[in-house]
């Protein structure tokens, strides 16, 4: 049986950017951080007063995309949620579920990195929708002289990237989606 088909030579779906390796590891690009305003509880920053008060922190482009900071993403450990203490040589074996494979690069308002997740439990969580990301870092917080924000963040030193249910940076800080969008095209068969 032969077919004579007219099609439009245009990609009609978005291929997955997640890849399962032959070893069963999950490789994917991801947005791990972004510029702009992020909210913290005062207690998270060690501030006095009401521990639940919301503190607005501005993360300017020149700090988020600082070349020294972006280089430090390469080789960071990936964790499930944020650990109580930063990842170090004493605790990484119990915390690590993967590794960042690239330096951070700017992609619009986001820092983009390539990740590999090796732990089966972590991969299952990601594939079941726990795919937002949050960077654990140390930074300098300077009072905003304009009063528009509470603080301006500088000297960002990333330590790890946590897979989480809800990223402070918003829903765009995530492992790129595995589900391709399929657009139906009209095909004529003679």
């Amino acid at each position: 049986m032969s077919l004579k088909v007219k099609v439009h030579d245009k990609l009609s779906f978005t291929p997955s950017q997640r890849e399962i390796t032959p070893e069963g590891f999950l490789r994917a690009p991801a947005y791990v951080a972004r510029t702009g305003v992020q909210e913290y509880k005062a207690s998270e920053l060690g501030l006095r007063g009401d521990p639940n008060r919301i503190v607005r922190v501005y993360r300017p482009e020149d700090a988020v995309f600082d070349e020294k900071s972006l280089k430090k993403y390469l080789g960071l450990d990936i964790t499930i949620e944020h650990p109580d203490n930063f990842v170090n040589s004493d605790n990484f074996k119990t915390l690590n579920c993967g590794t960042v494979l690239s330096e951070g690069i700017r992609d619009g308002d986001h820092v983009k990195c390539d990740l590999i997740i090796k732990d089966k439990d972590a991969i299952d969580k990601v594939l079941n929708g726990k795919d937002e990301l949050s960077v654990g870092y140390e930074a300098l917080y300077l009072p905003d002289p304009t009063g528009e924000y509470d603080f301006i963040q500088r000297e960002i030193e990333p330590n790890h990237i946590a897979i989480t249910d809800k990223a402070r940076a918003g829903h765009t800080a995530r492992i790129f989606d595995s589900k391709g969008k399929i657009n139906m095209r009209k095909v004529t068969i003679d």
Side-chain angles (χ1 to χ4, degrees), residues 25-89:
F25 303 149
L26 173 64
R27 289 181 65 128
Y31 285 148
V32 299
R34 69 166 174 83
T35 60
V37 179
Q38 294 183 10
E39 295 181 342
Y40 296 76
K41 286 184 179 180
S43 61
E44 292 179 287
L45 301 177
L47 299 174
R48 294 183 181 164
D50 178 2
N52 293 317
R53 120 176 149 265
I54 300 301
V55 177
R56 292 171 41 90
V57 176
Y58 178 58
R59 295 170 41 88
E61 290 182 9
D62 63 337
V64 173
F65 303 125
D66 177 77
E67 187 177 326
K68 285 199 285 190
S69 180
L70 290 176
K71 286 179 185 270
K72 292 181 180 181
Y73 283 94
L74 175 64
L76 287 184
D77 291 296
I78 300 170
T79 64
I80 296 290
E81 298 299 342
H82 288 290
D84 292 335
N85 298 304
F86 273 1
V87 178
N88 60 47
S89 62

Side-chain angles (χ1 to χ4, degrees), residues 9-181:
D9 194 16
K10 179 180 178 186
L11 187 64
S12 60
F13 65 95
T14 303
S16 172
Q17 295 195 50
R18 294 181 184 179
E19 170 194 352
I20 301 295
T21 70
E23 302 82 11
F25 303 149
L26 173 64
R27 289 181 65 128
Y31 285 148
V32 299
R34 69 166 174 83
T35 60
V37 179
Q38 294 183 10
E39 295 181 342
Y40 296 76
K41 286 184 179 180
S43 61
E44 292 179 287
L45 301 177
L47 299 174
R48 294 183 181 164
D50 178 2
N52 293 317
R53 120 176 149 265
I54 300 301
V55 177
R56 292 171 41 90
V57 176
Y58 178 58
R59 295 170 41 88
E61 290 182 9
D62 63 337
V64 173
F65 303 125
D66 177 77
E67 187 177 326
K68 285 199 285 190
S69 180
L70 290 176
K71 286 179 185 270
K72 292 181 180 181
Y73 283 94
L74 175 64
L76 287 184
D77 291 296
I78 300 170
T79 64
I80 296 290
E81 298 299 342
H82 288 290
D84 292 335
N85 298 304
F86 273 1
V87 178
N88 60 47
S89 62
D90 292 326
N91 63 18
F92 90 96
K93 283 186 180 181
T94 59
L95 298 174
N96 178 291
C97 67
T99 306
V100 178
L101 299 174
S102 67
E103 294 179 358
I105 61 167
R106 181 177 186 164
D107 189 352
D109 291 335
H110 292 85
V111 174
K112 181 180 171 183
C113 293
D114 292 323
L115 313 178
I116 188 163
I117 301 168
K118 294 185 171 187
D119 178 76
K120 177 73 169 126
D121 182 53
I123 293 167
D124 290 343
K125 287 179 179 176
V126 169
L127 296 178
N128 285 310
K130 184 181 184 105
D131 60 0
E132 293 191 21
L133 299 170
S134 176
V135 178
Y137 56 85
E138 185 173 60
L140 180 64
Y141 292 79
L142 301 172
D144 179 10
T146 70
E148 186 175 353
Y149 315 104
D150 296 297
F151 293 97
I152 298 174
Q153 200 175 76
R154 297 279 179 202
E155 300 178 18
I156 300 167
E157 298 272 341
N159 172 268
H160 64 274
I161 296 177
I163 299 169
T164 187
D165 291 314
K166 188 172 181 184
R168 186 186 316 272
H171 297 301
T172 58
R174 68 181 331 118
I175 298 169
F176 287 5
D177 200 349
S178 65
K179 296 175 183 156
K181 177 181 171 188

Side-chain angles (χ1 to χ4, degrees), residues 5-12 185-188:
V5 179
K6 292 181 183 177
V7 297
H8 300 283
D9 194 16
K10 179 180 178 186
L11 187 64
S12 60
R185 291 280 179 212
K186 182 178 178 182
V187 177
T188 305

